[in-house]
Amino acid sequence: MNSPVSIAIHGGAGTLIKGKMTPEKEKSYRETLQLALDEGFSILKKNGSALDAVEKAVIVLEDSPLFNAGKGSVFTADGTHEMDAAIMEGKDLKAGSVSLVTRIKNPVSLARVIMEKSPHVLLAGQGAMDFAKLHGFQLENEDYFYDEFRYQQWQKIKDSDHFQLDHSDRKDSKFG
Amino acid sequence: TVGAVACDANRNIAAATSTGGMTNKNWGRIGDSPLIGIGNYANNETCAVSCTGSGEFFIRGVVAYDLSCLIEYKKLPLKEAADEVIFKRLPKLKGDGGLIAVDRSGNITMPFNTEGMYRGMRNSNGENKIAIYE
């Protein structure tokens, strides 16, 4: 390698903080986090780009039901899943982002395609969905995003004005 | 919310962030994650950063770009700049959360000011850490 390479990742806890989860659950979290790190790092080790590495690491986390992104996305007030993602490279300040999309397996990859194949930085909602279809993104069934734990999280505050951040048990009325 | 930042062998850096939002959100609410300069930013001259936390406060604080500016204009080291943002500036807005950031020398910092943060880092010096913070 020409110079040192490094990668870091983060994931919210989905209200499960250390000390409140079973050893089995903690093991699952650790294994998924390690897999994301390893997949990203293996790209860097082969002289791949930082852009490829961060996209791959996030895809691993999006594909897990444990984290609030992609497959593990929480429920909206309407019982749907709305996802947001962004990606940016430091070399030339290129950026792409997507908001309020549904049924997209890996929103981070859609953000990257927006960066690389559109003149825009942020696409949202139905327009972003149309763009995704145009570029061959497959839509998953709603069942793909169903998770019993997330569903029960939603049931606790459904039909209220409360909303809840994924890393907190609080039910603040305005800012999560 | 999940995210990643990386520095490659050509000393280019990048950031990615993805979220499923907040439970029971409505009205088309979006947080900081898809907003460039707020929850995600990368600039080879400063750092790559991905944020997680209460999105409304990150939007008000323009957090990711604020970190980059502290490095660019105030010449702060990565860790010092990130600590300034998470432990001083964000609390002034009554916001909570954290970030991960890397610079083109491969330095990593991962500050946060709230519970339930999951973190991981790996580099070519052999460091490989996973941490779940209370």
Side-chain angles (χ1 to χ4, degrees):
Chain A
M1 283 184 274
N2 301 328
S3 60
V5 298
S6 56
I7 184 167
I9 57 171
H10 66 81
T15 73
L16 284 176
I17 62 174
K18 196 174 179 182
K20 286 187 178 178
M21 68 171 76
T22 63
E24 292 77 19
K25 199 77 171 174
E26 183 174 342
K27 183 169 177 278
S28 297
Y29 276 103
R30 286 182 177 277
E31 285 174 352
T32 306
L33 289 164
Q34 189 64 58
L35 180 63
L37 267 186
D38 292 347
E39 293 274 343
F41 189 75
S42 72
I43 290 170
L44 298 173
K45 215 166 56 173
K46 293 173 193 160
N47 221 15
S49 72
L51 191 69
D52 286 342
V54 295
E55 181 188 9
K56 184 61 188 175
V58 167
I59 285 173
V60 170
L61 298 172
E62 284 180 337
D63 289 348
S64 165
L66 298 174
F67 299 96
N68 180 20
K71 185 175 177 58
S73 293
V74 297
F75 284 83
T76 68
D78 294 329
T80 60
H81 301 88
E82 281 180 350
M83 298 169 285
D84 312 320
I87 195 164
M88 185 165 183
E89 58 180 350
K91 183 181 176 184
D92 48 18
L93 306 185
K94 283 185 182 170
S97 54
V98 64
S99 186
L100 303 173
V101 292
T102 60
R103 299 176 58 194
I104 299 289
K105 184 179 182 187
N106 295 116
V108 71
S109 297
L110 178 55
R112 181 168 179 174
V113 172
I114 290 167
M115 177 178 84
E116 293 178 337
K117 297 184 177 177
S118 90
H120 307 299
V121 171
L122 172 59
L123 299 182
Q126 188 56 53
M129 297 294 293
D130 293 343
F131 183 87
K133 287 176 201 165
L134 186 68
H135 288 84
F137 281 78
Q138 299 283 323
L139 298 186
E140 298 291 337
N141 292 324
E142 281 291 343
D143 290 353
Y144 173 80
F145 299 96
Y146 183 85
D147 179 81
E148 182 62 22
F149 175 69
R150 298 295 190 205
Y151 183 75
Q152 293 305 328
Q153 275 185 323
W154 176 47
Q155 292 303 300
K156 287 180 187 170
I157 55 175
K158 186 184 169 189
D159 299 325
S160 76
D161 291 331
H162 298 302
F163 47 89
Q164 183 175 301
L165 197 64
D166 66 317
H167 70 255
S168 174
D169 273 328
R170 296 177 316 170
K171 299 181 182 68
D172 296 349
S173 60
K174 193 172 182 186
F175 290 123
Chain B
T1 304
V2 305
V5 296
C7 174
D8 64 31
N10 294 312
R11 303 187 70 215
N12 290 317
I13 57 177
T17 312
S18 183
T19 187
M22 298 174 82
T23 301
N24 208 41
K25 78 181 180 96
N26 56 15
W27 313 119
R29 179 264 185 192
I30 64 167
D32 58 302
S33 300
L35 301 177
I36 300 298
I38 308 292
N40 178 287
Y41 190 71
N43 182 339
N44 272 9
E45 302 305 313
T46 56
C47 66
V49 53
S50 177
C51 302
T52 180
S54 305
E56 280 70 10
F57 298 102
F58 281 74
I59 294 169
R60 291 170 173 180
V62 197
V63 167
Y65 188 63
D66 193 30
L67 170 56
S68 177
C69 287
L70 285 172
I71 296 169
E72 184 172 7
Y73 301 135
K74 217 172 173 183
K75 309 298 179 193
L76 294 184
L78 179 70
K79 183 181 184 311
E80 199 176 319
D83 286 354
E84 167 86 19
V85 167
I86 295 300
F87 299 122
K88 293 182 181 172
R89 298 188 178 219
L90 194 59
K92 279 183 186 172
L93 297 168
K94 303 191 187 308
D96 62 3
L99 60 82
I100 57 172
V102 66
D103 63 22
R104 65 186 312 194
S105 297
N107 298 307
I108 286 172
T109 189
M110 306 189 286
F112 58 90
N113 67 7
T114 187
E115 82 279 6
M117 290 283 153
Y118 292 18
R119 294 285 188 269
M121 64 82 64
R122 190 172 173 188
N123 64 27
S124 49
N125 293 329
E127 290 180 277
N128 182 13
K129 296 177 192 165
I130 299 287
I132 301 174
Y133 297 96
E134 294 184 33

